[in-house]
Amino acid sequence: MRLLAEVLELKTRHPFIIARGSQDTYRTVQVRLIDDDGVEGWGEAAPQRFYGETTETVLEALQVYATVLPTDPFHLEDAEAGFEMALHGNNSARAALSAALHDLAGKRLGVPVYRLFGLDAAKCPLSTFTIGIDTAERIQMKVREAEQYPVLKVKLGTTDDRAILSAIRDVTSKELRVDANCGWTRKQAIRMLPLLEEFGVTVLEQPLEPTDLEGLGLVRQEARIPIVADESCLTAADIPPLVGKVDGINIKLAKTGSLREAVRMIAIARAHHLMVMVGCMIESSIGITAAAQICPLVDICDLDGAALLARDPYVGATIDGGRLRLPEGPGLGLSAR
Ligand code: MG
């Protein structure tokens, strides 16, 4: 098996602003695994500086992982364990390999990856569309542009979060979920709760910094809406300490490092009666379509990363009237645009 990697430069339609910064150009790494019969599996790494990765670290890590590629593409568990043993961390790089191996296995069998996992594609929940931080006028323009999405996810964690919520409520009555991206202190978060309620917000994601699990528990005690952990929950091992502190977890392949770990996380979360959300980074349809494969298992789907792009080089899972639609082709069912 051979591994090829290439940097993809992606631009968002509007500069994408969250509590910890603004950006309009994103670099991800497209991974192609080619087996001895010429069958190709595709994956994408969306590295985040916040988790210690860049495209450069991904490319370096892939060189290490290239030395331990499986000889049998169906030995998915062993392959993923082998990557982890060869080089720990580098989760977005490993996520790209995991997606590519699953794509390859599905193509060899002639079935979509979600069917390999035993899932019914019709069970995907609606996907939210994210409204980044901006001026009131630009936020209202983005809300109008997001007309086809029935649920909006609003980025907060600014000095004027009320103005943002109020600007959005002036132009829509849609369901709103809020993501503070670690932008609040305990006091601010608890002070924000009545405001979120006033504006009809239904979910609050990651109000506090990642390590403040005790604080998350205090916010949850005061909250009447579910609190979801994102930056506090990377892999399965992070779930048990969060039990009792949050109501749900947000799974992203760039954090978990693997589709199989994502499924293990869902099982562990369910055992603890936690809600499960699947999210994404700003990435092309390769990464989004990989994450979409497990969406029939989750409560909340937030897979708008490719929908926020000015131009997506690939065609895969789409969001149709808010509903996530999985491609029917074998593997991830992806094609170049
Ligand atoms: Mg989040």
Side-chain angles (χ1 to χ4, degrees), residues 1-304:
M1 201 181 287
R2 285 186 302 136
L3 186 160
L4 300 175
E6 191 189 329
V7 173
L8 285 180
E9 191 147 299
L10 305 171
K11 278 195 188 312
T12 48
R13 217 173 310 147
H14 306 291
F16 190 64
I17 309 172
I18 67 168
R20 56 177 168 266
S22 165
Q23 227 176 310
D24 70 351
T25 305
Y26 291 77
R27 293 167 84 224
T28 64
V29 179
Q30 186 207 356
V31 168
R32 287 158 64 200
L33 289 177
I34 306 164
D35 74 9
D36 297 342
D37 298 327
V39 182
E40 278 194 26
W42 291 359
E44 182 177 13
Q48 306 296 308
R49 270 183 197 281
F50 189 74
Y51 299 117
E53 288 188 274
T54 61
T55 46
E56 288 73 28
T57 66
V58 168
L59 292 171
E60 278 169 34
L62 288 172
Q63 285 184 16
V64 176
Y65 298 134
T67 64
V68 292
L69 294 175
T71 43
D72 184 333
F74 294 102
H75 289 174
L76 295 162
E77 288 286 342
D78 286 351
E80 292 192 348
F83 297 144
E84 174 87 57
M85 284 237 289
L87 182 63
H88 181 70
N90 298 278
N91 293 20
S92 81
R94 284 189 290 114
L97 290 170
S98 173
L101 281 173
H102 284 80
D103 188 26
L104 188 61
K107 282 176 179 158
R108 291 207 71 113
L109 293 170
V111 294
V113 171
Y114 59 87
R115 285 183 69 82
L116 287 182
F117 282 118
L119 304 176
D120 176 357
K123 299 251 167 84
C124 288
L126 295 171
S127 178
T128 46
F129 187 80
T130 305
I131 305 294
I133 295 168
D134 222 319
T135 61
E137 299 78 58
R138 288 181 57 84
I139 282 178
Q140 292 184 334
M141 175 194 73
K142 290 179 191 170
V143 170
R144 287 190 202 101
E145 277 181 16
E147 197 184 3
Q148 66 148 319
Y149 300 92
V151 186
L152 300 179
K153 177 164 134 175
V154 181
K155 295 289 195 181
L156 293 184
T158 71
T159 48
D160 206 358
D161 289 331
R162 171 184 268 278
I164 293 178
L165 285 172
S166 159
I168 294 175
R169 263 299 169 245
D170 280 348
V171 289
T172 187
S173 57
K174 284 178 184 172
E175 179 180 348
L176 300 180
R177 298 170 186 158
V178 159
D179 188 355
N181 284 109
C182 321
W184 293 334
T185 61
R186 293 177 180 187
K187 221 184 239 171
Q188 282 173 314
I190 290 169
R191 211 185 309 133
M192 281 300 289
L193 291 171
L195 191 70
L196 299 181
E197 222 169 279
E198 180 190 331
F199 284 99
V201 171
T202 56
V203 176
L204 172 60
E205 201 181 316
Q206 198 69 41
L208 309 180
E209 61 172 279
T211 52
D212 191 10
L213 305 193
E214 192 197 319
L216 285 174
L218 295 173
V219 174
R220 183 182 180 232
Q221 273 174 20
E222 301 294 322
R224 287 200 264 185
I225 57 172
I227 308 293
V228 171
D230 179 357
E231 285 88 338
S232 297
C233 185
L234 277 57
T235 63
D238 296 322
I239 299 174
L242 283 165
V243 174
K245 309 283 200 296
V246 295
D247 302 283
I249 58 158
N250 185 354
I251 296 174
K252 294 177 182 166
L253 293 184
K255 299 188 296 174
T256 65
S258 134
L259 272 164
R260 309 185 83 74
E261 176 75 356
V263 172
R264 286 190 285 274
M265 289 178 80
I266 294 171
I268 292 166
R270 294 301 185 205
H272 291 292
H273 308 288
L274 290 171
M275 248 167 71
V276 181
M277 171 172 177
V278 164
C280 62
M281 303 302 178
I282 303 288
E283 48 197 314
S284 83
S285 273
I286 300 182
I288 297 301
T289 306
Q293 303 299 316
I294 55 166
C295 273
L297 288 170
V298 308
D299 308 298
I300 296 183
C301 160
D302 181 29
L303 290 180
D304 61 353

